[in-house]
Amino acid sequence: MARSAILGVGHYVPTKVVTNDDLAKLMPTTDEWIQQRTGIKERRFIEHDGIGASDLAVPAAKMAIERAGRNVSDVDMILFATLSPDVNFPGSGCFLGDKLGLPGVPALDVRNQCSGFLYSLSVADAFVRAGTYKNILVVGAEVHSTGIELNERGRDVAVLFGDGAGAALVGASPSDDRGLLSIALHADGSGAKDLWLPAPGSMHSPHRITHEMLDRGDHFPQMNGKQVFRWATEKMPAVALEVLKSAELTVADVDLFVPHQANMRINELVAKKLGLPADRVVHNIEKYGNTTAATIPIGLSEAFAEGKLGAGKNILLAAFGSGYTWGGAVLRF
Ligand code: UT7
């Protein structure tokens, strides 16, 4: 069975820059608090009404396909990771397929939040190795700005998130010693309510959302930040070591670590636990905040543009987030 590989990566972020000082005009917070606790300086928000996750995905997808040396018409499967779909149904993958002009091409949405890109990569890998599909478009895209509460009640969550999209074209590896060397996925639903969006939801009867829920803010994400922080700093190093072991590599072999971008302090702690020096760890949280399913493909795309994904480089990926879900992967370019 042929190994799978990321053949091209791309990304797109909206043009509207929102600084910490901009947020401080809407809620009691400060640039100092946000930078100290998270490392975030600014994030991007969509420019106007009517822009969904699939719209951000279009330019990211086209960049990934072009960098892979393929045409849009070569795509034979779409995997779309998002926690902020354009609408509740159908999936954003269907909207993206239509916007790219791909009628008949299957589209699957993956609902695994911060680990969504890694879960999707694992699905793509299985399809490629089985020979089912040849050029799979894997997208992570989020519009968070319309789903966060920009006031005092929502400030712990609101300052963290930004909008953006990343994409990868996944196909058969050109050689057996390159491509996706290992991947691991995990979930533990006992922490589901530590970071969740309670409403609207099918568990609420007779209506999925009520005026009372809206008044309580149940339609905004609720987070137990300290608990998520604790889990993330434990599970990300563990899964990183797990995938390195499966790939028969050690931390010393890692040329670049592209972790999910939720908090600069989380990633510094993870890198320290692994013994990885800062110059081998990608970070862009200062520019984009947490773009959830998009952080890893955006990180890969920027690393590619900076010439950091040269042939033979070993790239370690790891993510942790809502679910809880987490995962890791090792790629050789
Ligand atoms: O992809 C996964 C997504 N989420 C995460 O990974 C989040 C993981 N958790 C975190 O990153 C951190 O827990 C946070 C950045 C969310 C918070 O940092 P913390 O050091 O855990 O702060 P805290 O929750 O202990 O809050 C400290 C104080 C509280 O006030 P009191 O109770 O000490 O008086 C908060 O009310 O900071 C207050 N606070 C704020 N102050 C200014 C909470 N949000 C803000 C804010 N600005 N935006």
Side-chain angles (χ1 to χ4, degrees):
M1 269 194 290
R3 209 185 266 294
S4 76
I6 289 184
L7 307 173
V9 278
H11 75 284
Y12 172 78
V13 290
T15 54
K16 184 174 162 188
V17 176
V18 177
T19 65
N20 293 342
D21 285 335
D22 292 331
L23 292 183
K25 290 176 196 144
L26 305 171
M27 62 187 80
T29 193
T30 61
D31 176 49
E32 192 193 3
W33 190 95
I34 300 171
Q35 283 208 48
Q36 263 181 15
R37 306 280 174 140
T38 71
I40 300 167
K41 294 182 180 165
E42 57 188 42
R43 72 287 290 142
R44 304 296 180 96
F45 282 4
I46 53 164
E47 297 84 359
H48 54 79
D49 174 40
I51 301 175
S54 70
D55 296 294
L56 303 188
V58 171
K62 286 184 174 166
M63 187 189 285
I65 294 164
E66 194 192 322
R67 284 178 174 170
R70 302 287 203 277
N71 297 310
V72 170
S73 57
D74 293 324
V75 172
D76 55 2
M77 171 75 184
I78 296 170
L79 295 170
F80 199 119
T82 187
L83 68 66
S84 52
D86 298 51
V87 291
N88 271 336
F89 73 83
S92 288
C94 294
F95 287 103
L96 177 62
D98 186 47
K99 285 168 187 167
L100 291 174
L102 292 169
V105 169
L108 172 66
D109 272 34
V110 174
R111 299 285 307 275
N112 287 72
Q113 301 72 247
C114 303
S115 317
F117 181 77
L118 289 176
Y119 268 76
S120 304
L121 188 62
S122 173
V123 176
D125 173 57
F127 276 140
V128 167
R129 283 191 294 114
T132 315
Y133 300 110
K134 289 188 168 58
N135 291 295
I136 303 182
L137 180 60
V138 179
V139 171
E142 307 285 359
V143 173
H144 279 303
S145 54
T146 50
I148 47 178
E149 192 173 23
L150 295 165
N151 61 24
E152 181 166 5
R153 187 173 64 177
R155 67 179 180 170
D156 60 329
V157 172
V159 300
L160 301 178
F161 292 98
D163 303 340
L169 193 73
V170 178
S173 174
S175 74
D176 205 41
D177 60 346
R178 284 163 64 184
L180 183 63
L181 304 187
S182 65
I183 189 157
L185 307 174
H186 297 281
D188 185 338
S190 68
K193 293 184 180 175
D194 283 339
L195 180 49
W196 71 317
L197 186 72
S202 62
M203 64 186 268
H204 307 299
S205 180
H207 301 296
R208 292 178 180 186
I209 191 149
T210 61
H211 290 290
E212 291 71 31
M213 290 180 202
L214 287 169
D215 290 342
R216 272 201 308 270
D218 290 356
H219 58 306
F220 295 118
Q222 320 282 315
M223 182 177 72
N224 179 350
K226 283 198 185 306
Q227 194 70 348
V228 179
F229 193 102
R230 228 172 274 133
W231 275 70
T233 51
E234 185 191 315
K235 297 300 182 189
M236 282 172 71
V239 78
L241 293 174
E242 179 186 349
V243 289
L244 283 171
K245 191 173 175 206
S246 311
E248 296 177 359
L249 297 174
T250 68
V251 171
D253 299 312
V254 175
D255 295 297
L256 202 65
F257 177 36
V258 186
H260 169 54
Q261 309 283 309
N263 185 321
M264 188 81 100
R265 282 163 50 219
I266 292 179
N267 289 351
E268 283 169 0
L269 262 168
V270 171
K272 196 172 158 202
K273 281 190 178 182
L274 289 171
L276 266 171
D279 63 354
R280 281 195 263 155
V281 183
V282 164
H283 59 86
N284 55 25
I285 192 168
E286 62 278 12
K287 294 189 289 185
Y288 306 136
N290 180 349
T291 58
T292 307
T295 66
I296 289 180
I298 293 176
L300 284 170
S301 178
E302 291 195 329
F304 173 82
E306 290 163 18
K308 292 180 180 164
L309 302 186
K313 298 270 189 215
N314 293 317
I315 314 296
L316 173 66
L317 311 177
F320 180 88
S322 159
Y324 292 126
T325 61
W326 64 103
V330 180
L331 300 159
R332 183 174 298 134
F333 276 84

